[in-house]
Amino acid sequence: MAKVNFIGATLRLKYVTGQNAQNEPIFTFKTYRNLNSSHTAEDLVDVAKAIASLSSHALDSIVKQETTDLS
């Protein structure tokens, strides 16, 4: 049976920072690294919304990326 080892995780926030000449949104990303594996999705959404509330830009999406080692 394969073993899954958690290596790390990042939280990526995507902000809408404006529009281009064709009225398409322009996005900016902010990445937070070294997340603990014990954080729930609800915890991360709460934290992301709290961080986004400090920005003058609208939050578009929240993404959690995990890195694991399979052996």
Side-chain angles (χ1 to χ4, degrees):
M1 178 177 250
K3 185 177 178 183
V4 179
N5 297 315
F6 176 82
I7 295 175
T10 61
L11 184 66
R12 186 172 171 159
L13 306 183
K14 180 179 175 184
Y15 294 96
V16 178
T17 56
Q19 293 182 337
N20 63 15
Q22 292 80 28
N23 283 334
E24 298 169 335
I26 299 171
F27 299 106
T28 300
F29 298 90
K30 180 65 179 168
T31 303
Y32 299 92
R33 292 171 171 61
N34 301 320
L35 297 179
N36 191 314
S37 63
S38 65
H39 299 300
T40 66
E42 186 175 319
D43 291 340
L44 294 176
V45 169
D46 290 343
V47 168
K49 287 181 179 179
I51 292 170
S53 72
L54 302 173
S55 174
S56 60
H57 302 295
L59 181 63
D60 183 70
S61 67
I62 304 165
V63 175
K64 178 185 176 187
Q65 296 176 321
E66 287 189 7
T67 304
T68 56
D69 178 40
L70 304 176
S71 56

